[in-house]
Amino acid sequence: MIETLFGAGYSVKDTSIALGVSERTLFRKMGQFGLSKLAFTEIDEEELNIVVATTITEFPRCGEEMLRKVLLQKGIKVP
């Protein structure tokens, strides 16, 4: 359930509220199951550059935050 909520874009705070537990309890459970909110997509730099270039062509006025959200919708999570 935690992975599902994180995958849907929930923050740690929102996830803890949705599950009805404290953030501390959520972090403890994440540690037990080896989960991290900072899991990023494994993608090489060349492939990422192609996806970013395509996205910028499609949305020429997008900023960093919109670009990150578009990439997330495409299943790409980057730092």
Side-chain angles (χ1 to χ4, degrees):
M1 183 58 94
I2 295 170
E3 287 179 308
T4 301
L5 293 173
F6 284 167
Y10 280 58
S11 66
V12 170
K13 181 178 181 178
D14 293 337
T15 300
S16 69
I17 291 169
L19 297 175
V21 299
S22 71
E23 288 182 44
R24 176 68 188 128
T25 298
L26 179 58
F27 279 116
R28 200 169 36 253
K29 290 295 182 185
M30 289 168 59
Q32 283 179 328
F33 296 109
L35 301 175
S36 172
K37 179 69 172 137
L38 300 176
F40 299 113
T41 304
E42 291 186 30
I43 185 171
D44 64 40
E45 192 170 335
E46 184 177 328
E47 187 177 352
L48 180 60
N49 285 338
I50 292 168
V51 173
V52 169
T54 304
T55 303
I56 290 173
T57 301
E58 189 176 347
F59 303 101
R61 297 184 64 189
C62 79
E64 182 179 337
E65 186 64 27
M66 182 178 171
L67 177 60
R68 190 176 313 249
K69 288 181 181 183
V70 170
L71 291 175
L72 191 58
Q73 288 178 341
K74 293 180 179 189
I76 301 171
K77 187 173 181 183
V78 294

